Amino acid sequence: MSIDDLRPRIDWGKYQTLTLDRRDGGVLLVTIAEPDGFPAPTLTRRHTEISHVWRDFADDPELRVAVITGRGDKFWTVEGTDGIEEMLENPGSYANTVNLIREGLANVHGIVNCDKPIVSAINGEAMGSGLAVALLADVSVAATDARLIDGHLLQGIAAGDHSVMIWPLLCGMAKAKYHLLASEDLTGEVAERIGLVSAAVPAGDVLDTALGIAHRMAAGPQHALRWTKRSLNHWLRTATPAFEASLGFEALSFFGPDLVEALKAQIENRSPEFATPLPW
Amino acid sequence: MSIDDLRPRIDWGKYQTLTLDRRDGGVLLVTIAEPDGFPAPTLTRRHTEISHVWRDFADDPELRVAVITGRGDKFWTVEGTDGIEEMLENPGSYANTVNLIREGLANVHGIVNCDKPIVSAINGEAMGSGLAVALLADVSVAATDARLIDGHLLQGIAAGDHSVMIWPLLCGMAKAKYHLLASEDLTGEVAERIGLVSAAVPAGDVLDTALGIAHRMAAGPQHALRWTKRSLNHWLRTATPAFEASLGFEALSFFGPDLVEALKAQIENRSPEFATPLPW
Amino acid sequence: MSIDDLRPRIDWGKYQTLTLDRRDGGVLLVTIAEPDGFPAPTLTRRHTEISHVWRDFADDPELRVAVITGRGDKFWTVEGTDGIEEMLENPGSYANTVNLIREGLANVHGIVNCDKPIVSAINGEAMGSGLAVALLADVSVAATDARLIDGHLLQGIAAGDHSVMIWPLLCGMAKAKYHLLASEDLTGEVAERIGLVSAAVPAGDVLDTALGIAHRMAAGPQHALRWTKRSLNHWLRTATPAFEASLGFEALSFFGPDLVEALKAQIENRSPEFATPLPW
Amino acid sequence: MSIDDLRPRIDWGKYQTLTLDRRDGGVLLVTIAEPDGFPAPTLTRRHTEISHVWRDFADDPELRVAVITGRGDKFWTVEGTDGIEEMLENPGSYANTVNLIREGLANVHGIVNCDKPIVSAINGEAMGSGLAVALLADVSVAATDARLIDGHLLQGIAAGDHSVMIWPLLCGMAKAKYHLLASEDLTGEVAERIGLVSAAVPAGDVLDTALGIAHRMAAGPQHALRWTKRSLNHWLRTATPAFEASLGFEALSFFGPDLVEALKAQIENRSPEFATPLPW
Amino acid sequence: MSIDDLRPRIDWGKYQTLTLDRRDGGVLLVTIAEPDGFPAPTLTRRHTEISHVWRDFADDPELRVAVITGRGDKFWTVEGTDGIEEMLENPGSYANTVNLIREGLANVHGIVNCDKPIVSAINGEAMGSGLAVALLADVSVAATDARLIDGHLLQGIAAGDHSVMIWPLLCGMAKAKYHLLASEDLTGEVAERIGLVSAAVPAGDVLDTALGIAHRMAAGPQHALRWTKRSLNHWLRTATPAFEASLGFEALSFFGPDLVEALKAQIENRSPEFATPLPW
Amino acid sequence: MSIDDLRPRIDWGKYQTLTLDRRDGGVLLVTIAEPDGFPAPTLTRRHTEISHVWRDFADDPELRVAVITGRGDKFWTVEGTDGIEEMLENPGSYANTVNLIREGLANVHGIVNCDKPIVSAINGEAMGSGLAVALLADVSVAATDARLIDGHLLQGIAAGDHSVMIWPLLCGMAKAKYHLLASEDLTGEVAERIGLVSAAVPAGDVLDTALGIAHRMAAGPQHALRWTKRSLNHWLRTATPAFEASLGFEALSFFGPDLVEALKAQIENRSPEFATPLPW
């Protein structure tokens, strides 16, 4: 008897914004729904689902490696203005913030503590929680022309969802701060050059490359594979307190004026005029 | 009421070796004096001022982002032989060493613990404490042909002023040790390639690029910006004990024969002949 | 009187698989024996000797810098099938595993805790414990066409001998996991590009370049040099628990079925068919 | 919508060796089955269940605080000789060891990463995995005459299940090593004196005291409570690599001769005669 | 010239809620104002002043050791209900929270990073930010009957101001969590027994004992003293990320319903009825 | 073949200030020479020998557990004034300081990295390097009336030889700083109460108690024992950078005026009058 026997059966049918495709050899392909024209509740549901899926993947005894990708030229974007008006009606909601922070934790720790490897196939634009998934994945394959952007500061909030945990260990401090503090986007090609992703290939080859790596890992020795990932991730576990400190500050920034101004500027299609801050 | 109201007024006029220029939007441009032909006391004063300026910058409620640069083709050099003779007259001075170590701590922790961003515009040759400033800055823009060199070992002393804290997190251990242990200099172009600086541009564009980044950050959401820097810097805070261990060994090397020999060789324009060391 | 006087005289003649050449200025050149056609006991002895040599190097008061290299186009390989049959006769030997783990610890900590610098001249193919030596060396010079491969997973065992300690600090997490989890080899040229080694030069120049760096360091201030290495290595000391966790899992994988299958597949010249793992 | 909606319904009925009692206010009382005369499969099942229960507790939205206790004068013991013979028939089983290590991880991380508080009511003798639960619990109330003993070394195996993670932070290194290395048991009274448990009370008051504390916490502000536990536990998360290193060595010791000898001595009711070890 | 010459003159006269008494030998006695009947603005000012005073103490070249104490039988309490109504009128104020968090950081890091020793004379009841000062002080002398209580959870907020940084290193995890999670107060006598304070003496002897220790330290070798404190405090610097994570969660809890309910219950003189929390 | 075969034969006869007694079962009893009336060179030799003996103990394959004790009512003292005059003739000697620091490192790391257990039998007064040995030992048994004192500050130098590494993990910060910063001695009885030592017994029973524990450990499973010690000591390895930072500051204080004044005061049998320090 083992822990697995105590677990309830996973209901894979509950996912609405992620398409799940079980491939040969224990490879799970997760495809993120296109957000275009999606109403806010769908975006919210997508955030919840991405935060939970790693647990189901870890629990399913038949699965060995996950590949996650997006559709068309988008990996994960937050488009449209539907959600913004709702947020502006209820700025600084404690309930929303608690839920967001909790899901952010579930997403990050879900990826880090899942001993099975995860491969991201960054087919196109990646930002927000999607960028967290793309870069926390163990192996990351980006389209050379994919656009990666940590947009937290553009939204007036602290970068709390993954960057403090892993960027300095991916591309070093000088590059990390440049892109995070100055909100500089970068292409997949540049991302590979500075170490932010494992590899960059033409957009048309991203998914096949990622699946190829996944299948190769799925055919390898699973215990050795999982224990090696687990041991390497102690670097990230040790960075957990710093990550959660950033998350705490991100939470605090949800209650300040800059998020509101950023959202207003977005629907008014203008640059935000952030107010003079309280001293810090 | 807040802490700011308890602080004394900053006397910005006291700086003699740094030129301070308050730009629009809360950007402070700090220009380092040219050392050519400067007598030793001026160099000493410059060391003191650079160690203190971060505190005043952090305290000034109107300032948001600092840019620091040098003049001509030098960011920070230690030229001439004026100071050396004085040092040779008084080798292994406890008072001097205590002061140097203390200022080194003030410089490093001053940059790290200042939550406001600092941008270095490395217009040319950078070494010594100036290199510490250049590389600890949050965003660093170097001239492609700038020469960066950590010259501690060339002076016979351990590299204690910043390298242990941040080099492994900038360019990785293999590159860090190569340049630090073998006293290999590198250009801004190479520095960018290995991640030691954020960006490299032609010398003529360095300051404008740095100012552009600074103004963009100064127009951003200040709390989110400062909290993101603060959280990222936990990586450096965690490395503080190792950094201070290196500083302790640097202090010890001030009392050994190798510094004296390095200085003598310098004024005699020859290679140093370091003596057989005590076993270690 | 000092600790040195309490030490027994080093018997440098005991080494059989390493050739030792004392050069001018305190440089020790260590050349690894060619393994081709070597019987298993020789390979075992080589593993033991490489794990011990750092201690003798550290103890010898006349030595300052070590350079380690291989012969021909091989730095360290594990060729032939002699040893495999012996291993297959005695899979999961507690005695062998204890000895291997202990030597792995001696090798890694021997390099890290030796304050004198070590330069690796990676003349060709490097894998296994040899790769650990090549990459833990303070300065690493690789032939542009050298092939580096961490083959642990190909052998069905967890990557426990050095990778968790230093890869994330050499080339970042995204590259480290790609090469370690997917068993991707890389050339010296690529290794230099991602920061895994200090420099890459044509094969014919590797040893001279390494010796040049070694002699330059040997002529430098020895205390300053050793204290700088010592301080930088606190980054690795802090990663020791994670490294030893990986070593523990590697030890565990010696008792599982995947190592046996990998070895069988190797002598049968086929791809391994790893069994369905126990859940993890 | 939140993560909770994606979770399957918890089947609390599956537990056979733990009695679950839902009290008012969200308090869950978990009572460990008496092991006396239990056959080995039951002991194995108990080990599995204790490793899994923290996840169900964390997931159940109605539960706030867990109290765990034993029956009679035993909190958790491993009595009888049923299981030993089975183990002796199959010493050094890879499958068994992998499962044990995995459950050990699930138990420890399950308690540490569950943000809801757990109170242990150590009514009597506690050892093995039960001691891990007793001491990793956030608040621990022990009977003054309870006997606590980490028996790993008595069994010939390394102390890998929890002690490295938390003992030095409970009672300090000098006490921790004394009890762990010399296999010294201690009473609840002494345990309280050295900080190993939160409180010691007469045996008859243990459960009521623990329940009292649990109900008081269950009536408190739940978010503040969980976030405070979470933040305090970063101390344990940072110690995770060291803990897992100890677990790796424990795993290795399962394949050595000392466990066999300890088990044989136990069924033969004599002191073990551990063999001369391989050098280490 | 040194950094000191660049500092502005300290205006010690600005303090209104702290009485400052310069004693012989460089000892500064800081006495905290009695809060009884104080209006909320005074309490706010006291919070600001305590957060700032460590910087002035560190800067003043004539001062060597600080002693901090309270008046009568109170070290630091938050009495009366004046401030509460104001807080209830403006719950979840971003401006107030930012200021509180900032002052909390200034207080904690001000004590930790001041290399000169600080002695707390805990004459009576201590809670809130005053408890942070009392326990972060390098040497802490408590009245045997002083009451120490971390009241964060009683107020519905996470314990974020100092406890995560230092309690586990004072009294161990089991005691720390008991008092912090279950809001258990303790006397000075018990605090000494579990290591939370350095010494406990009768109330009448607290100040003299503290001053005696302070004068002895002030007569000692100042550099050796400051460097020893500095080095010991690396333990706290390493815990900074965890501390700031707790502070972030405390900030978040300022916007939730539990603080409001706790305050209402306090002015209505009843137990709070905390609402069912959002899942976490 | 194993590493042991490569080691030279240990010459146990070289020790002059330590008496070595090989007991049954692999127990080595080390007795420290009485220093009374010993000339300075003997004290120096004792310092060297204690720093080296751990390596020989670790290397000797027949030895399992070491017990270290002193003679009469002294464990380790530094009496007489012979050495002082010599030190005063040559204050701030770089050669002496380098040697002292190096031996301090060898002593501390020698104990920590020796996986075999070490038991200290603190029969009487313990200070200086002897206190480091007494408290870094894995199990420490003190005479109830033994006097323990870290005398660094009394000598005008920073406490750098072991205290930063282990005191906070023995007795907590509040007690550690009290005794270290205020140079407060303590008895074995008090030391046990605060966790600084494992046990306190009447002076006449110290050695027998220590030997009893040693023999019990020597009869236990050696691999399990050594791996448990090794894993627990990761807590100390992680604290290595902080420890070495303290050592660096101790080294610096050897060159300052306070050591000289402390020594002069000692031979003149008066209290030292430490000079006004340079600002720090």
Side-chain angles (χ1 to χ4, degrees), chain F residues 83-97:
Chain F
I84 294 179
E85 278 165 24
E86 189 187 276
M87 287 186 78
L88 284 174
E89 284 168 22
N90 190 16
S93 154
Y94 176 73
N96 285 353
T97 304

Side-chain angles (χ1 to χ4, degrees), chain F residues 4 30 53 70 72 74 95 102 107 127 173 244 246 250-251 269:
Chain F
D4 310 275
V30 183
V53 71
K74 287 163 189 162
R102 186 176 172 231
N107 188 24
M127 61 177 58
M173 264 295 186
E244 300 207 1
S246 75
E250 181 179 4
N269 202 22

Side-chain angles (χ1 to χ4, degrees), chain A residues 50-71:
Chain A
I50 198 71
S51 301
H52 186 74
V53 72
W54 312 115
R55 172 166 158 168
D56 283 342
F57 167 58
D59 279 356
D60 190 319
E62 291 175 5
L63 296 178
R64 297 186 171 193
V65 182
V67 176
I68 185 156
T69 195
R71 288 182 197 280

Side-chain angles (χ1 to χ4, degrees), chain C residues 5-82:
Chain C
D5 305 314
L6 295 178
R7 292 190 188 135
R9 179 173 294 276
I10 299 163
D11 168 24
W12 281 105
K14 70 196 162 196
Y15 291 96
Q16 298 176 7
T17 67
L18 303 177
T19 305
L20 303 165
D21 180 10
R22 298 172 84 94
R23 299 288 180 101
D24 286 346
V27 171
L28 176 74
L29 175 61
V30 182
T31 309
I32 302 160
E34 285 184 72
D36 297 285
F38 274 9
T42 301
L43 291 183
T44 300
R45 182 171 186 102
R46 190 180 61 164
H47 192 270
T48 305
E49 288 186 2
I50 197 72
S51 301
H52 187 75
V53 71
W54 312 114
R55 172 167 159 168
D56 284 341
F57 167 57
D59 279 356
D60 190 318
E62 291 175 6
L63 297 177
R64 297 185 171 194
V65 182
V67 176
I68 185 157
T69 195
R71 288 182 196 279
D73 60 353
K74 288 164 189 162
F75 180 80
W76 180 288
T77 62
V78 192
E79 299 204 340
T81 55
D82 278 1

Side-chain angles (χ1 to χ4, degrees), chain B residues 29-85:
Chain B
L29 176 61
V30 182
T31 309
I32 301 161
E34 285 184 74
D36 297 287
F38 273 9
T42 301
L43 291 183
T44 300
R45 183 171 185 101
R46 189 180 62 164
H47 193 270
T48 304
E49 289 187 1
I50 198 71
S51 301
H52 187 73
V53 71
W54 312 115
R55 172 167 159 168
D56 283 342
F57 167 58
D59 279 356
D60 190 318
E62 291 175 6
L63 296 178
R64 296 186 171 192
V65 182
V67 177
I68 184 157
T69 196
R71 287 182 197 279
D73 59 354
K74 287 165 189 163
F75 181 80
W76 180 290
T77 61
V78 191
E79 301 203 340
T81 55
D82 277 2
I84 294 178
E85 279 167 23

Side-chain angles (χ1 to χ4, degrees), chain E residues 60-260:
Chain E
D60 190 319
E62 291 176 5
L63 296 179
R64 296 186 172 193
V65 183
V67 176
I68 185 157
T69 195
R71 289 182 196 279
D73 60 354
K74 287 163 191 164
F75 180 80
W76 180 290
T77 62
V78 192
E79 300 204 340
T81 55
D82 277 2
I84 294 177
E85 279 166 23
E86 189 186 275
M87 286 186 78
L88 283 173
E89 282 168 23
N90 191 17
S93 155
Y94 176 73
N96 285 351
T97 305
V98 165
N99 198 49
L100 266 173
I101 294 300
R102 187 175 172 231
E103 291 184 359
L105 284 169
N107 188 24
V108 167
H109 293 308
I111 296 173
V112 169
N113 288 324
C114 168
D115 290 342
K116 298 174 185 173
I118 297 166
V119 182
S120 63
I122 312 168
N123 54 303
E125 194 157 9
M127 60 177 60
S129 300
L131 187 64
V133 171
L135 300 186
L136 285 168
D138 302 297
V139 178
S140 44
V141 181
T144 48
D145 63 353
R147 179 177 171 256
L148 285 68
I149 173 83
D150 183 282
H152 282 84
L153 265 66
L154 296 177
Q155 300 278 12
I157 55 178
D161 68 357
H162 76 293
S163 48
V164 167
M165 184 182 257
I166 198 165
W167 278 59
L169 271 185
L170 289 171
C171 60
M173 264 295 185
K175 298 289 184 183
K177 281 184 175 169
Y178 178 44
H179 292 284
L180 293 169
L181 296 182
S183 298
E184 278 288 332
D185 62 1
L186 70 174
T187 61
E189 186 174 6
V190 173
E192 187 280 335
R193 192 176 80 88
I194 66 174
L196 201 60
V197 298
S198 306
V201 298
D205 299 336
V206 167
L207 186 55
D208 282 351
T209 303
L211 283 169
I213 295 168
H215 280 287
R216 208 162 67 229
M217 291 196 292
Q222 296 304 298
H223 285 173
L225 186 64
R226 294 172 195 179
W227 295 339
T228 301
K229 170 177 174 177
R230 180 175 193 91
S231 300
L232 283 163
N233 274 5
H234 286 319
W235 283 88
L236 304 182
R237 286 186 190 95
T238 307
T240 293
F243 156 61
E244 301 208 359
S246 76
L247 202 67
F249 279 120
E250 181 179 6
L252 182 51
S253 58
F254 273 98
F255 299 92
D258 289 341
L259 171 59
V260 172

Side-chain angles (χ1 to χ4, degrees), chain B residues 129-199:
Chain B
S129 300
L131 187 64
V133 171
L135 300 186
L136 286 167
D138 302 297
V139 179
S140 44
V141 181
T144 47
D145 61 353
R147 180 175 170 256
L148 285 68
I149 174 82
D150 184 282
H152 283 83
L153 265 66
L154 296 178
Q155 300 278 11
I157 55 178
D161 69 358
H162 78 292
S163 50
V164 167
M165 183 182 259
I166 198 167
W167 278 58
L169 271 185
L170 289 172
C171 59
M173 264 297 186
K175 298 288 185 182
K177 281 184 175 168
Y178 178 44
H179 292 284
L180 293 168
L181 297 182
S183 299
E184 278 288 331
D185 61 1
L186 71 175
T187 63
E189 187 174 6
V190 173
E192 188 280 335
R193 193 176 80 89
I194 66 173
L196 201 62
V197 299
S198 305

Side-chain angles (χ1 to χ4, degrees), chain D residues 24-223:
Chain D
D24 286 346
V27 172
L28 176 74
L29 176 61
V30 182
T31 310
I32 301 161
E34 286 185 72
D36 298 288
F38 273 9
T42 301
L43 291 183
T44 300
R45 182 172 186 100
R46 188 180 61 164
H47 192 271
T48 305
E49 289 187 1
I50 198 71
S51 301
H52 187 74
V53 71
W54 312 115
R55 173 166 157 168
D56 283 342
F57 166 59
D59 279 356
D60 191 319
E62 292 175 5
L63 297 177
R64 296 185 172 192
V65 182
V67 176
I68 185 157
T69 194
R71 289 183 195 279
D73 59 353
K74 288 164 189 163
F75 180 79
W76 181 290
T77 61
V78 191
E79 301 204 339
T81 55
D82 278 1
I84 294 177
E85 279 165 23
E86 190 187 275
M87 287 186 79
L88 284 174
E89 283 168 23
N90 191 16
S93 156
Y94 176 74
N96 285 352
T97 305
V98 165
N99 198 49
L100 266 173
I101 294 299
R102 187 175 172 230
E103 291 185 1
L105 284 169
N107 187 25
V108 167
H109 293 308
I111 295 172
V112 169
N113 288 325
C114 169
D115 290 343
K116 299 174 184 173
I118 297 166
V119 181
S120 63
I122 312 168
N123 54 300
E125 193 156 9
M127 61 177 59
S129 300
L131 187 64
V133 172
L135 300 186
L136 285 168
D138 302 297
V139 179
S140 45
V141 181
T144 47
D145 62 353
R147 179 175 171 259
L148 286 68
I149 173 84
D150 183 282
H152 282 83
L153 265 67
L154 296 177
Q155 300 279 10
I157 55 179
D161 69 357
H162 77 292
S163 49
V164 167
M165 183 182 258
I166 198 167
W167 278 58
L169 271 184
L170 289 172
C171 59
M173 265 296 187
K175 298 289 185 182
K177 281 184 175 167
Y178 177 44
H179 291 285
L180 293 169
L181 297 183
S183 298
E184 278 288 331
D185 63 359
L186 70 175
T187 63
E189 187 175 6
V190 173
E192 188 280 334
R193 192 175 82 88
I194 66 173
L196 201 60
V197 298
S198 306
V201 299
D205 299 337
V206 167
L207 186 55
D208 282 352
T209 303
L211 283 169
I213 294 168
H215 280 288
R216 207 161 70 229
M217 291 196 291
Q222 296 304 297
H223 285 172

